[in-house]
Amino acid sequence: MFVCLGMFARSVANEPYPKSPIIERIQLDWKTHRRAAQGSDNFQLTWAQDGHLYGAWGDGGGFGGSNSKGRVGLGVAKIEGPADDYRGTNIWGGVDGQNPAQFDGKSWGMIGVDEQLHMWVVPDRPPGKDYRNHYEFIRLASSRDFGATWNKSGWKFTSFDNLTIPTFLNFGRANRGVPESFGDYVYSYFIRPSDPKIQQQGNDAAGLIVHRPGTIYLARIATDQLQFGPDRDRFEFFAGLSPDDQPKWGSIDEKRPVFRDSNGVGWCMSACYHPGLQRVLICTEHGESKAGLLGVFDAPAPWGPWTTVEYYSPERPFGAKRPGSDWPWKNNVFFIAFPTKWFDGLDFTANFTGAGTGKDNDSFNTVSGRFVLRSRQ
């Protein structure tokens, strides 16, 4: 039974989409708040063929590490066990990592498909640069040994394609449970940078920001093409809807927004499918980054139509009230995700992370909760 419930902020002006017809609100039980891997952030998780969760972290030592101890720019962890009794292990990099990290970068998108793992990787310092720029380009990395080793693609998407920091749309274990109407595809969401020439650091540093105009693009690739080593031309992009509201697909130059928010979208996001609710969920920021201004949106299909589940406001950011949790806290959360392994009917366990520079929410955090459905009249 849920008690001492924290709740996402209720109706906020300028929400980009109408209220969800399915989910009335989200309840969080802050007594279940757990924290690990202090100093390591990100951790978008995928449910792999071996039954475990895998995810990448950034700028820390992973589980058992700190902001400096075991620090790598990019590491991969395995998380075993149920939501209320999980254990994290460093698979690639980090403290007591089972394998050394092979390259640097960051990732907010990983997916397990059959016995492979794939992650979208952006650079720390691009070749020839002495400053960080996660925005500059995107490569796909793949693993055939559950994260022990990774191979990066020779091709890339770049900010001049108006694409940056993507995430995968995660379904069930090893990507099973994709509805037939979605086809045999793996889907990815890409954020549009505020400027193709954007720099995170350097002379024209923008930092990690909420991008305006707030635009997200959607791409898909046939599952077998992903598994056998794709090139960038194999990705099809959402190109709008036909007169009968069916999605059209085209080249990268034909892409059209699949999601808009005039308040902006964050520099990272997460996406998953809830099989019981039969809804796609995406989560991203708006307004200001690293301030707990999160939005959760749902749709019946990867291309929409979108509705608003929850939309945080500056007056009440994510975690403003946390009855039952005594962990140190600042309003710096920028990422939240719903691991599909940890769905149990309407109950879930979400993971989130924040800035913190090695403290408070710069860590792997989990909290359990429940989707409260809208009553049927």
Side-chain angles (χ1 to χ4, degrees), residues 177-213:
V178 180
E180 185 176 349
S181 60
F182 297 177
D184 190 10
Y185 295 94
V186 173
Y187 291 89
S188 297
Y189 294 96
F190 293 77
I191 293 165
R192 176 179 174 171
S194 58
D195 186 322
K197 301 186 295 296
I198 190 170
Q199 294 180 357
Q200 177 187 349
Q201 297 180 351
N203 293 334
D204 299 313
L208 295 174
I209 60 171
V210 168
H211 294 273
R212 294 179 176 85

PDB file of all heavy atoms in Angstrom, residues 177-213:
ATOM      1  N   GLY A 177       7.632  -7.409 -27.192  1.00  0.00           N
ATOM      2  CA  GLY A 177       6.422  -6.701 -26.813  1.00  0.00           C
ATOM      3  C   GLY A 177       6.137  -5.465 -27.630  1.00  0.00           C
ATOM      4  O   GLY A 177       5.307  -4.641 -27.223  1.00  0.00           O
ATOM      5  N   VAL A 178       6.795  -5.317 -28.791  1.00  0.00           N
ATOM      6  CA  VAL A 178       6.477  -4.192 -29.673  1.00  0.00           C
ATOM      7  C   VAL A 178       5.138  -4.478 -30.350  1.00  0.00           C
ATOM      8  O   VAL A 178       4.979  -5.519 -30.990  1.00  0.00           O
ATOM      9  CB  VAL A 178       7.569  -3.992 -30.740  1.00  0.00           C
ATOM     10  CG1 VAL A 178       7.219  -2.826 -31.651  1.00  0.00           C
ATOM     11  CG2 VAL A 178       8.930  -3.788 -30.085  1.00  0.00           C
ATOM     12  N   PRO A 179       4.139  -3.621 -30.218  1.00  0.00           N
ATOM     13  CA  PRO A 179       2.843  -3.879 -30.850  1.00  0.00           C
ATOM     14  C   PRO A 179       2.980  -4.062 -32.360  1.00  0.00           C
ATOM     15  O   PRO A 179       3.811  -3.419 -33.009  1.00  0.00           O
ATOM     16  CB  PRO A 179       2.025  -2.628 -30.523  1.00  0.00           C
ATOM     17  CG  PRO A 179       2.645  -2.101 -29.265  1.00  0.00           C
ATOM     18  CD  PRO A 179       4.104  -2.396 -29.395  1.00  0.00           C
ATOM     19  N   GLU A 180       2.164  -4.954 -32.908  1.00  0.00           N
ATOM     20  CA  GLU A 180       2.232  -5.243 -34.337  1.00  0.00           C
ATOM     21  C   GLU A 180       2.035  -3.985 -35.176  1.00  0.00           C
ATOM     22  O   GLU A 180       2.654  -3.823 -36.231  1.00  0.00           O
ATOM     23  CB  GLU A 180       1.175  -6.290 -34.693  1.00  0.00           C
ATOM     24  CG  GLU A 180       1.223  -6.755 -36.135  1.00  0.00           C
ATOM     25  CD  GLU A 180       0.212  -7.856 -36.420  1.00  0.00           C
ATOM     26  OE1 GLU A 180      -0.372  -8.392 -35.447  1.00  0.00           O
ATOM     27  OE2 GLU A 180       0.003  -8.187 -37.604  1.00  0.00           O
ATOM     28  N   SER A 181       1.200  -3.071 -34.688  1.00  0.00           N
ATOM     29  CA  SER A 181       0.925  -1.857 -35.457  1.00  0.00           C
ATOM     30  C   SER A 181       2.142  -0.936 -35.558  1.00  0.00           C
ATOM     31  O   SER A 181       2.185  -0.050 -36.420  1.00  0.00           O
ATOM     32  CB  SER A 181      -0.236  -1.088 -34.831  1.00  0.00           C
ATOM     33  OG  SER A 181       0.066  -0.715 -33.487  1.00  0.00           O
ATOM     34  N   PHE A 182       3.143  -1.128 -34.682  1.00  0.00           N
ATOM     35  CA  PHE A 182       4.356  -0.319 -34.738  1.00  0.00           C
ATOM     36  C   PHE A 182       5.362  -0.889 -35.728  1.00  0.00           C
ATOM     37  O   PHE A 182       6.334  -0.214 -36.074  1.00  0.00           O
ATOM     38  CB  PHE A 182       5.026  -0.218 -33.369  1.00  0.00           C
ATOM     39  CG  PHE A 182       4.201   0.459 -32.304  1.00  0.00           C
ATOM     40  CD1 PHE A 182       4.686   0.538 -31.010  1.00  0.00           C
ATOM     41  CD2 PHE A 182       2.950   1.003 -32.570  1.00  0.00           C
ATOM     42  CE1 PHE A 182       3.953   1.155 -30.004  1.00  0.00           C
ATOM     43  CE2 PHE A 182       2.196   1.609 -31.576  1.00  0.00           C
ATOM     44  CZ  PHE A 182       2.702   1.681 -30.295  1.00  0.00           C
ATOM     45  N   GLY A 183       5.166  -2.142 -36.162  1.00  0.00           N
ATOM     46  CA  GLY A 183       6.083  -2.781 -37.088  1.00  0.00           C
ATOM     47  C   GLY A 183       7.320  -3.324 -36.394  1.00  0.00           C
ATOM     48  O   GLY A 183       7.557  -3.090 -35.205  1.00  0.00           O
ATOM     49  N   ASP A 184       8.137  -4.055 -37.145  1.00  0.00           N
ATOM     50  CA  ASP A 184       9.349  -4.664 -36.607  1.00  0.00           C
ATOM     51  C   ASP A 184      10.507  -3.672 -36.720  1.00  0.00           C
ATOM     52  O   ASP A 184      11.435  -3.840 -37.526  1.00  0.00           O
ATOM     53  CB  ASP A 184       9.666  -5.963 -37.352  1.00  0.00           C
ATOM     54  CG  ASP A 184      10.773  -6.771 -36.686  1.00  0.00           C
ATOM     55  OD1 ASP A 184      11.157  -6.429 -35.548  1.00  0.00           O
ATOM     56  OD2 ASP A 184      11.264  -7.724 -37.317  1.00  0.00           O
ATOM     57  N   TYR A 185      10.444  -2.648 -35.902  1.00  0.00           N
ATOM     58  CA  TYR A 185      11.420  -1.559 -35.947  1.00  0.00           C
ATOM     59  C   TYR A 185      11.919  -1.234 -34.546  1.00  0.00           C
ATOM     60  O   TYR A 185      11.236  -1.487 -33.548  1.00  0.00           O
ATOM     61  CB  TYR A 185      10.801  -0.290 -36.539  1.00  0.00           C
ATOM     62  CG  TYR A 185      10.399  -0.411 -37.992  1.00  0.00           C
ATOM     63  CD1 TYR A 185       9.094  -0.754 -38.339  1.00  0.00           C
ATOM     64  CD2 TYR A 185      11.326  -0.180 -39.009  1.00  0.00           C
ATOM     65  CE1 TYR A 185       8.720  -0.866 -39.674  1.00  0.00           C
ATOM     66  CE2 TYR A 185      10.956  -0.281 -40.345  1.00  0.00           C
ATOM     67  CZ  TYR A 185       9.659  -0.631 -40.672  1.00  0.00           C
ATOM     68  OH  TYR A 185       9.288  -0.734 -41.986  1.00  0.00           O
ATOM     69  N   VAL A 186      13.099  -0.627 -34.504  1.00  0.00           N
ATOM     70  CA  VAL A 186      13.633  -0.009 -33.300  1.00  0.00           C
ATOM     71  C   VAL A 186      13.539   1.503 -33.502  1.00  0.00           C
ATOM     72  O   VAL A 186      13.973   2.024 -34.535  1.00  0.00           O
ATOM     73  CB  VAL A 186      15.080  -0.444 -33.040  1.00  0.00           C
ATOM     74  CG1 VAL A 186      15.678   0.336 -31.871  1.00  0.00           C
ATOM     75  CG2 VAL A 186      15.138  -1.947 -32.768  1.00  0.00           C
ATOM     76  N   TYR A 187      12.959   2.197 -32.515  1.00  0.00           N
ATOM     77  CA  TYR A 187      12.679   3.624 -32.632  1.00  0.00           C
ATOM     78  C   TYR A 187      13.639   4.430 -31.759  1.00  0.00           C
ATOM     79  O   TYR A 187      14.007   4.009 -30.658  1.00  0.00           O
ATOM     80  CB  TYR A 187      11.249   3.928 -32.207  1.00  0.00           C
ATOM     81  CG  TYR A 187      10.200   3.394 -33.162  1.00  0.00           C
ATOM     82  CD1 TYR A 187       9.688   2.107 -33.013  1.00  0.00           C
ATOM     83  CD2 TYR A 187       9.730   4.177 -34.214  1.00  0.00           C
ATOM     84  CE1 TYR A 187       8.732   1.611 -33.891  1.00  0.00           C
ATOM     85  CE2 TYR A 187       8.770   3.696 -35.090  1.00  0.00           C
ATOM     86  CZ  TYR A 187       8.276   2.413 -34.927  1.00  0.00           C
ATOM     87  OH  TYR A 187       7.336   1.924 -35.801  1.00  0.00           O
ATOM     88  N   SER A 188      14.012   5.608 -32.262  1.00  0.00           N
ATOM     89  CA  SER A 188      14.856   6.545 -31.514  1.00  0.00           C
ATOM     90  C   SER A 188      14.287   7.950 -31.627  1.00  0.00           C
ATOM     91  O   SER A 188      13.800   8.351 -32.695  1.00  0.00           O
ATOM     92  CB  SER A 188      16.292   6.550 -32.055  1.00  0.00           C
ATOM     93  OG  SER A 188      16.911   5.299 -31.894  1.00  0.00           O
ATOM     94  N   TYR A 189      14.370   8.697 -30.533  1.00  0.00           N
ATOM     95  CA  TYR A 189      13.992  10.108 -30.512  1.00  0.00           C
ATOM     96  C   TYR A 189      15.258  10.960 -30.455  1.00  0.00           C
ATOM     97  O   TYR A 189      16.172  10.674 -29.680  1.00  0.00           O
ATOM     98  CB  TYR A 189      13.118  10.417 -29.302  1.00  0.00           C
ATOM     99  CG  TYR A 189      11.761   9.746 -29.337  1.00  0.00           C
ATOM    100  CD1 TYR A 189      11.536   8.541 -28.686  1.00  0.00           C
ATOM    101  CD2 TYR A 189      10.703  10.335 -30.028  1.00  0.00           C
ATOM    102  CE1 TYR A 189      10.284   7.933 -28.718  1.00  0.00           C
ATOM    103  CE2 TYR A 189       9.457   9.741 -30.060  1.00  0.00           C
ATOM    104  CZ  TYR A 189       9.249   8.528 -29.408  1.00  0.00           C
ATOM    105  OH  TYR A 189       8.018   7.935 -29.454  1.00  0.00           O
ATOM    106  N   PHE A 190      15.287  12.025 -31.271  1.00  0.00           N
ATOM    107  CA  PHE A 190      16.416  12.942 -31.321  1.00  0.00           C
ATOM    108  C   PHE A 190      15.944  14.350 -30.968  1.00  0.00           C
ATOM    109  O   PHE A 190      14.910  14.809 -31.467  1.00  0.00           O
ATOM    110  CB  PHE A 190      17.016  13.001 -32.732  1.00  0.00           C
ATOM    111  CG  PHE A 190      17.676  11.733 -33.187  1.00  0.00           C
ATOM    112  CD1 PHE A 190      16.921  10.651 -33.620  1.00  0.00           C
ATOM    113  CD2 PHE A 190      19.056  11.624 -33.214  1.00  0.00           C
ATOM    114  CE1 PHE A 190      17.522   9.484 -34.067  1.00  0.00           C
ATOM    115  CE2 PHE A 190      19.676  10.463 -33.662  1.00  0.00           C
ATOM    116  CZ  PHE A 190      18.909   9.391 -34.082  1.00  0.00           C
ATOM    117  N   ILE A 191      16.717  15.032 -30.135  1.00  0.00           N
ATOM    118  CA  ILE A 191      16.439  16.428 -29.814  1.00  0.00           C
ATOM    119  C   ILE A 191      17.036  17.319 -30.905  1.00  0.00           C
ATOM    120  O   ILE A 191      18.140  17.052 -31.403  1.00  0.00           O
ATOM    121  CB  ILE A 191      17.025  16.776 -28.437  1.00  0.00           C
ATOM    122  CG1 ILE A 191      16.260  16.001 -27.349  1.00  0.00           C
ATOM    123  CG2 ILE A 191      16.989  18.273 -28.159  1.00  0.00           C
ATOM    124  CD1 ILE A 191      16.951  15.965 -26.023  1.00  0.00           C
ATOM    125  N   ARG A 192      16.311  18.339 -31.281  1.00  0.00           N
ATOM    126  CA  ARG A 192      16.841  19.327 -32.214  1.00  0.00           C
ATOM    127  C   ARG A 192      17.640  20.364 -31.431  1.00  0.00           C
ATOM    128  O   ARG A 192      17.118  20.984 -30.502  1.00  0.00           O
ATOM    129  CB  ARG A 192      15.715  20.022 -32.972  1.00  0.00           C
ATOM    130  CG  ARG A 192      16.219  21.136 -33.888  1.00  0.00           C
ATOM    131  CD  ARG A 192      15.101  21.792 -34.648  1.00  0.00           C
ATOM    132  NE  ARG A 192      15.608  22.937 -35.410  1.00  0.00           N
ATOM    133  CZ  ARG A 192      14.890  23.600 -36.316  1.00  0.00           C
ATOM    134  NH1 ARG A 192      13.642  23.242 -36.573  1.00  0.00           N
ATOM    135  NH2 ARG A 192      15.422  24.624 -36.960  1.00  0.00           N
ATOM    136  N   PRO A 193      18.922  20.587 -31.780  1.00  0.00           N
ATOM    137  CA  PRO A 193      19.694  21.612 -31.074  1.00  0.00           C
ATOM    138  C   PRO A 193      19.156  23.008 -31.375  1.00  0.00           C
ATOM    139  O   PRO A 193      18.599  23.254 -32.449  1.00  0.00           O
ATOM    140  CB  PRO A 193      21.112  21.432 -31.623  1.00  0.00           C
ATOM    141  CG  PRO A 193      20.923  20.830 -32.977  1.00  0.00           C
ATOM    142  CD  PRO A 193      19.700  19.950 -32.870  1.00  0.00           C
ATOM    143  N   SER A 194      19.339  23.908 -30.445  1.00  0.00           N
ATOM    144  CA  SER A 194      18.847  25.267 -30.646  1.00  0.00           C
ATOM    145  C   SER A 194      19.550  25.962 -31.802  1.00  0.00           C
ATOM    146  O   SER A 194      19.002  26.885 -32.407  1.00  0.00           O
ATOM    147  CB  SER A 194      19.011  26.086 -29.362  1.00  0.00           C
ATOM    148  OG  SER A 194      20.365  26.110 -28.962  1.00  0.00           O
ATOM    149  N   ASP A 195      20.766  25.521 -32.112  1.00  0.00           N
ATOM    150  CA  ASP A 195      21.538  26.064 -33.232  1.00  0.00           C
ATOM    151  C   ASP A 195      22.452  24.952 -33.726  1.00  0.00           C
ATOM    152  O   ASP A 195      23.124  24.305 -32.910  1.00  0.00           O
ATOM    153  CB  ASP A 195      22.367  27.261 -32.759  1.00  0.00           C
ATOM    154  CG  ASP A 195      23.094  27.992 -33.882  1.00  0.00           C
ATOM    155  OD1 ASP A 195      23.592  27.327 -34.811  1.00  0.00           O
ATOM    156  OD2 ASP A 195      23.165  29.220 -33.838  1.00  0.00           O
ATOM    157  N   PRO A 196      22.524  24.702 -35.030  1.00  0.00           N
ATOM    158  CA  PRO A 196      23.420  23.634 -35.520  1.00  0.00           C
ATOM    159  C   PRO A 196      24.881  23.849 -35.137  1.00  0.00           C
ATOM    160  O   PRO A 196      25.644  22.891 -35.057  1.00  0.00           O
ATOM    161  CB  PRO A 196      23.232  23.692 -37.045  1.00  0.00           C
ATOM    162  CG  PRO A 196      21.912  24.323 -37.251  1.00  0.00           C
ATOM    163  CD  PRO A 196      21.750  25.308 -36.125  1.00  0.00           C
ATOM    164  N   LYS A 197      25.275  25.102 -34.903  1.00  0.00           N
ATOM    165  CA  LYS A 197      26.670  25.409 -34.563  1.00  0.00           C
ATOM    166  C   LYS A 197      26.887  25.420 -33.045  1.00  0.00           C
ATOM    167  O   LYS A 197      27.955  25.849 -32.589  1.00  0.00           O
ATOM    168  CB  LYS A 197      27.061  26.778 -35.140  1.00  0.00           C
ATOM    169  CG  LYS A 197      26.924  26.879 -36.654  1.00  0.00           C
ATOM    170  CD  LYS A 197      27.456  28.209 -37.177  1.00  0.00           C
ATOM    171  CE  LYS A 197      26.636  29.385 -36.687  1.00  0.00           C
ATOM    172  NZ  LYS A 197      25.237  29.359 -37.195  1.00  0.00           N
ATOM    173  N   ILE A 198      25.941  24.953 -32.276  1.00  0.00           N
ATOM    174  CA  ILE A 198      26.001  25.053 -30.825  1.00  0.00           C
ATOM    175  C   ILE A 198      27.244  24.377 -30.264  1.00  0.00           C
ATOM    176  O   ILE A 198      27.689  23.328 -30.744  1.00  0.00           O
ATOM    177  CB  ILE A 198      24.721  24.461 -30.193  1.00  0.00           C
ATOM    178  CG1 ILE A 198      24.654  24.779 -28.703  1.00  0.00           C
ATOM    179  CG2 ILE A 198      24.624  22.957 -30.447  1.00  0.00           C
ATOM    180  CD1 ILE A 198      23.315  24.427 -28.067  1.00  0.00           C
ATOM    181  N   GLN A 199      27.831  25.000 -29.246  1.00  0.00           N
ATOM    182  CA  GLN A 199      28.957  24.441 -28.519  1.00  0.00           C
ATOM    183  C   GLN A 199      28.593  24.358 -27.040  1.00  0.00           C
ATOM    184  O   GLN A 199      28.058  25.312 -26.475  1.00  0.00           O
ATOM    185  CB  GLN A 199      30.203  25.318 -28.673  1.00  0.00           C
ATOM    186  CG  GLN A 199      30.756  25.369 -30.081  1.00  0.00           C
ATOM    187  CD  GLN A 199      31.983  26.264 -30.168  1.00  0.00           C
ATOM    188  OE1 GLN A 199      32.382  26.889 -29.184  1.00  0.00           O
ATOM    189  NE2 GLN A 199      32.591  26.313 -31.334  1.00  0.00           N
ATOM    190  N   GLN A 200      28.913  23.232 -26.436  1.00  0.00           N
ATOM    191  CA  GLN A 200      28.695  23.096 -25.000  1.00  0.00           C
ATOM    192  C   GLN A 200      29.699  23.942 -24.232  1.00  0.00           C
ATOM    193  O   GLN A 200      29.338  24.640 -23.281  1.00  0.00           O
ATOM    194  CB  GLN A 200      28.815  21.630 -24.603  1.00  0.00           C
ATOM    195  CG  GLN A 200      28.681  21.363 -23.119  1.00  0.00           C
ATOM    196  CD  GLN A 200      28.973  19.922 -22.782  1.00  0.00           C
ATOM    197  OE1 GLN A 200      29.083  19.075 -23.669  1.00  0.00           O
ATOM    198  NE2 GLN A 200      29.125  19.626 -21.503  1.00  0.00           N
ATOM    199  N   GLN A 201      30.971  23.857 -24.636  1.00  0.00           N
ATOM    200  CA  GLN A 201      32.028  24.672 -24.061  1.00  0.00           C
ATOM    201  C   GLN A 201      32.748  25.378 -25.209  1.00  0.00           C
ATOM    202  O   GLN A 201      32.313  25.311 -26.353  1.00  0.00           O
ATOM    203  CB  GLN A 201      32.998  23.803 -23.243  1.00  0.00           C
ATOM    204  CG  GLN A 201      32.350  23.131 -22.042  1.00  0.00           C
ATOM    205  CD  GLN A 201      33.320  22.268 -21.247  1.00  0.00           C
ATOM    206  OE1 GLN A 201      34.447  22.029 -21.659  1.00  0.00           O
ATOM    207  NE2 GLN A 201      32.871  21.794 -20.096  1.00  0.00           N
ATOM    208  N   GLY A 202      33.827  26.110 -24.911  1.00  0.00           N
ATOM    209  CA  GLY A 202      34.552  26.821 -25.948  1.00  0.00           C
ATOM    210  C   GLY A 202      34.205  28.294 -25.968  1.00  0.00           C
ATOM    211  O   GLY A 202      33.563  28.826 -25.051  1.00  0.00           O
ATOM    212  N   ASN A 203      34.616  28.961 -27.035  1.00  0.00           N
ATOM    213  CA  ASN A 203      34.439  30.408 -27.121  1.00  0.00           C
ATOM    214  C   ASN A 203      32.976  30.832 -27.119  1.00  0.00           C
ATOM    215  O   ASN A 203      32.634  31.916 -26.637  1.00  0.00           O
ATOM    216  CB  ASN A 203      35.138  30.942 -28.383  1.00  0.00           C
ATOM    217  CG  ASN A 203      36.643  30.814 -28.306  1.00  0.00           C
ATOM    218  OD1 ASN A 203      37.211  30.798 -27.215  1.00  0.00           O
ATOM    219  ND2 ASN A 203      37.301  30.707 -29.458  1.00  0.00           N
ATOM    220  N   ASP A 204      32.131  30.002 -27.710  1.00  0.00           N
ATOM    221  CA  ASP A 204      30.698  30.327 -27.791  1.00  0.00           C
ATOM    222  C   ASP A 204      29.884  29.351 -26.952  1.00  0.00           C
ATOM    223  O   ASP A 204      28.855  28.831 -27.389  1.00  0.00           O
ATOM    224  CB  ASP A 204      30.234  30.306 -29.249  1.00  0.00           C
ATOM    225  CG  ASP A 204      30.966  31.318 -30.102  1.00  0.00           C
ATOM    226  OD1 ASP A 204      31.082  32.469 -29.651  1.00  0.00           O
ATOM    227  OD2 ASP A 204      31.420  30.958 -31.200  1.00  0.00           O
ATOM    228  N   ALA A 205      30.334  29.096 -25.736  1.00  0.00           N
ATOM    229  CA  ALA A 205      29.739  28.060 -24.895  1.00  0.00           C
ATOM    230  C   ALA A 205      28.278  28.359 -24.573  1.00  0.00           C
ATOM    231  O   ALA A 205      27.941  29.463 -24.143  1.00  0.00           O
ATOM    232  CB  ALA A 205      30.534  27.911 -23.605  1.00  0.00           C
ATOM    233  N   ALA A 206      27.427  27.363 -24.797  1.00  0.00           N
ATOM    234  CA  ALA A 206      26.018  27.459 -24.424  1.00  0.00           C
ATOM    235  C   ALA A 206      25.707  26.632 -23.186  1.00  0.00           C
ATOM    236  O   ALA A 206      24.684  26.842 -22.532  1.00  0.00           O
ATOM    237  CB  ALA A 206      25.135  26.987 -25.581  1.00  0.00           C
ATOM    238  N   GLY A 207      26.585  25.669 -22.858  1.00  0.00           N
ATOM    239  CA  GLY A 207      26.316  24.768 -21.753  1.00  0.00           C
ATOM    240  C   GLY A 207      25.312  23.700 -22.147  1.00  0.00           C
ATOM    241  O   GLY A 207      24.926  23.564 -23.313  1.00  0.00           O
ATOM    242  N   LEU A 208      24.895  22.918 -21.166  1.00  0.00           N
ATOM    243  CA  LEU A 208      23.854  21.910 -21.378  1.00  0.00           C
ATOM    244  C   LEU A 208      22.526  22.570 -21.038  1.00  0.00           C
ATOM    245  O   LEU A 208      22.239  22.843 -19.877  1.00  0.00           O
ATOM    246  CB  LEU A 208      24.114  20.675 -20.519  1.00  0.00           C
ATOM    247  CG  LEU A 208      25.387  19.905 -20.889  1.00  0.00           C
ATOM    248  CD1 LEU A 208      25.650  18.794 -19.894  1.00  0.00           C
ATOM    249  CD2 LEU A 208      25.295  19.344 -22.307  1.00  0.00           C
ATOM    250  N   ILE A 209      21.721  22.818 -22.051  1.00  0.00           N
ATOM    251  CA  ILE A 209      20.591  23.733 -21.921  1.00  0.00           C
ATOM    252  C   ILE A 209      19.290  23.082 -22.374  1.00  0.00           C
ATOM    253  O   ILE A 209      19.284  22.034 -23.014  1.00  0.00           O
ATOM    254  CB  ILE A 209      20.816  25.003 -22.760  1.00  0.00           C
ATOM    255  CG1 ILE A 209      20.972  24.632 -24.258  1.00  0.00           C
ATOM    256  CG2 ILE A 209      22.021  25.775 -22.268  1.00  0.00           C
ATOM    257  CD1 ILE A 209      20.984  25.824 -25.193  1.00  0.00           C
ATOM    258  N   VAL A 210      18.183  23.720 -22.044  1.00  0.00           N
ATOM    259  CA  VAL A 210      16.897  23.431 -22.665  1.00  0.00           C
ATOM    260  C   VAL A 210      16.901  24.110 -24.034  1.00  0.00           C
ATOM    261  O   VAL A 210      17.164  25.305 -24.145  1.00  0.00           O
ATOM    262  CB  VAL A 210      15.748  23.958 -21.794  1.00  0.00           C
ATOM    263  CG1 VAL A 210      14.428  23.939 -22.555  1.00  0.00           C
ATOM    264  CG2 VAL A 210      15.633  23.127 -20.523  1.00  0.00           C
ATOM    265  N   HIS A 211      16.625  23.325 -25.074  1.00  0.00           N
ATOM    266  CA  HIS A 211      16.736  23.818 -26.447  1.00  0.00           C
ATOM    267  C   HIS A 211      15.414  24.427 -26.918  1.00  0.00           C
ATOM    268  O   HIS A 211      14.342  23.871 -26.683  1.00  0.00           O
ATOM    269  CB  HIS A 211      17.139  22.684 -27.387  1.00  0.00           C
ATOM    270  CG  HIS A 211      18.515  22.158 -27.126  1.00  0.00           C
ATOM    271  ND1 HIS A 211      19.640  22.706 -27.681  1.00  0.00           N
ATOM    272  CD2 HIS A 211      18.937  21.136 -26.338  1.00  0.00           C
ATOM    273  CE1 HIS A 211      20.715  22.045 -27.261  1.00  0.00           C
ATOM    274  NE2 HIS A 211      20.305  21.095 -26.444  1.00  0.00           N
ATOM    275  N   ARG A 212      15.550  25.563 -27.586  1.00  0.00           N
ATOM    276  CA  ARG A 212      14.406  26.219 -28.205  1.00  0.00           C
ATOM    277  C   ARG A 212      14.744  26.510 -29.655  1.00  0.00           C
ATOM    278  O   ARG A 212      15.874  26.920 -29.935  1.00  0.00           O
ATOM    279  CB  ARG A 212      14.062  27.515 -27.460  1.00  0.00           C
ATOM    280  CG  ARG A 212      13.568  27.272 -26.036  1.00  0.00           C
ATOM    281  CD  ARG A 212      13.273  28.603 -25.345  1.00  0.00           C
ATOM    282  NE  ARG A 212      12.716  28.393 -24.026  1.00  0.00           N
ATOM    283  CZ  ARG A 212      13.453  28.198 -22.933  1.00  0.00           C
ATOM    284  NH1 ARG A 212      14.764  28.168 -23.024  1.00  0.00           N
ATOM    285  NH2 ARG A 212      12.877  28.022 -21.758  1.00  0.00           N
ATOM    286  N   PRO A 213      13.805  26.321 -30.596  1.00  0.00           N
ATOM    287  CA  PRO A 213      12.440  25.848 -30.352  1.00  0.00           C
ATOM    288  C   PRO A 213      12.459  24.405 -29.846  1.00  0.00           C
ATOM    289  O   PRO A 213      13.351  23.638 -30.201  1.00  0.00           O
ATOM    290  CB  PRO A 213      11.772  25.937 -31.730  1.00  0.00           C
ATOM    291  CG  PRO A 213      12.903  25.831 -32.698  1.00  0.00           C
ATOM    292  CD  PRO A 213      14.073  26.508 -32.040  1.00  0.00           C
TER     293      PRO A 213
END
